[in-house]
Amino acid sequence: DAKTTQPPSMDCAEGRAANLPCNHSTISGNEYVYWYRQIHSQGPQYIIHGLKNNETNEMASLIITEDRKSSTLILPHATLRDTAVYYCIVRGNFGNEKLTFGTGTRLTIIP
Amino acid sequence: NAGVTQTPKFRVLKTGQSMTLLCAQDMNHEYMYWYRQDPGMGLRLIHYSVGEGTTAKGEVPDGYNVSRLKKQNFLLGLESAAPSQTSVYFCASSSQGLRTDTQYFGPGTRLTVL
């Protein structure tokens, strides 16, 4: 699995859009980008994933650059409940079911 | 639909004691996983299972054993607990999708080994 690089921490004002970057310059053609988050002491929660097109669901949007070497997770209207550690994970889909969690980005939403 | 549940939520052991952590899922998922998370670190995969009766080693399997006798249950055993196994243990499950796969996690078990 490709390695990812994320900033260790970020702050965002409540009500604003939170933009969390992730670099994955060694991603290969069949690897997807997944985002999970972990709210304090709870199990990780799936947010969104994508291959090369931008994706949106009820939680967030995922923007993947054309060369697929980086992506951005967007929480459109951050609330205090979005304070969590966010993990960007690159993972293949055939024969390897491992999710490799790094240290993620600790996002703090400021009231 | 309870999702993924873990038993117990907390446990304190003495060095050398044994215990079993139980993970159950009601989503009919084929894949199940055990992770550990140490303070300030991401999750690390201990063992996983791709179906009933099968198990495989993850990144940090030493000191643990697992069993998947029923599709809905995945057991993690510590035969002789050590202080280095103090951690939070998370179980997860997923279905084997055609191209993509997402994992659903349980609430975790906090284990302290004295």
Side-chain angles (χ1 to χ4, degrees):
Chain A
D1 291 339
K3 184 177 179 179
T4 62
T5 303
Q6 300 178 252
S9 63
M10 292 180 63
D11 293 339
C12 178
E14 187 178 17
R16 299 280 191 173
N19 296 281
L20 291 87
C22 179
N23 287 321
H24 31 79
S25 58
T26 60
I27 192 171
S28 62
N30 68 342
E31 289 181 318
Y32 283 70
V33 180
Y34 285 76
W35 283 84
Y36 282 75
R37 72 180 182 183
Q38 187 174 24
I39 296 170
H40 180 63
S41 299
Q42 298 180 21
Q45 175 189 27
Y46 165 79
I47 302 173
I48 198 168
H49 72 276
L51 182 63
K52 55 184 177 181
N53 297 321
N54 298 338
E55 301 288 344
T56 296
N57 63 19
E58 64 278 4
M59 290 181 68
S61 294
L62 174 61
I63 309 298
I64 303 174
T65 58
E66 191 169 345
D67 63 8
R68 303 211 322 124
K69 293 184 177 182
S70 65
S71 60
T72 300
L73 177 74
I74 301 172
L75 307 177
H77 304 287
T79 70
L80 298 178
R81 288 179 294 181
D82 292 322
T83 292
V85 177
Y86 287 77
Y87 297 98
C88 169
I89 301 167
V90 170
R91 177 184 166 275
N93 291 304
F94 299 104
N96 181 353
E97 298 294 335
K98 290 188 296 180
L99 285 178
T100 300
F101 288 81
T103 52
T105 295
R106 182 173 296 278
L107 175 67
T108 302
I109 305 303
I110 309 298
Chain B
N1 190 330
V4 179
T5 58
Q6 294 183 230
T7 308
K9 290 185 170 54
F10 303 92
R11 185 71 186 269
V12 177
L13 290 178
K14 294 181 180 179
T15 297
Q17 287 185 317
S18 63
M19 77 163 294
T20 300
L21 281 65
L22 171 64
C23 175
Q25 53 95 3
D26 60 3
M27 296 174 282
N28 201 35
H29 284 167
E30 290 292 333
Y31 287 66
M32 295 188 74
Y33 314 81
W34 276 107
Y35 294 87
R36 62 176 287 174
Q37 186 174 32
D38 300 320
M41 297 182 66
L43 280 71
R44 291 183 292 169
L45 183 65
I46 304 171
H47 286 281
Y48 64 101
S49 168
V50 301
E52 183 179 326
T54 69
T55 63
K57 294 180 180 180
E59 298 174 67
V60 288
D62 294 342
Y64 305 95
N65 56 76
V66 289
S67 64
R68 183 97 181 268
L69 299 180
K70 293 183 179 180
K71 185 177 183 179
Q72 64 267 33
N73 295 337
F74 195 29
L75 279 62
L76 177 71
L78 287 73
E79 292 186 347
S80 179
S84 61
Q85 294 178 304
T86 293
S87 190
V88 181
Y89 291 85
F90 290 101
C91 175
S93 72
S94 67
S95 60
Q96 186 180 11
L98 180 62
R99 290 202 182 98
T100 66
D101 174 72
T102 60
Q103 294 187 15
Y104 297 86
F105 285 80
T109 294
R110 293 185 176 277
L111 175 66
T112 301
V113 183
L114 302 175

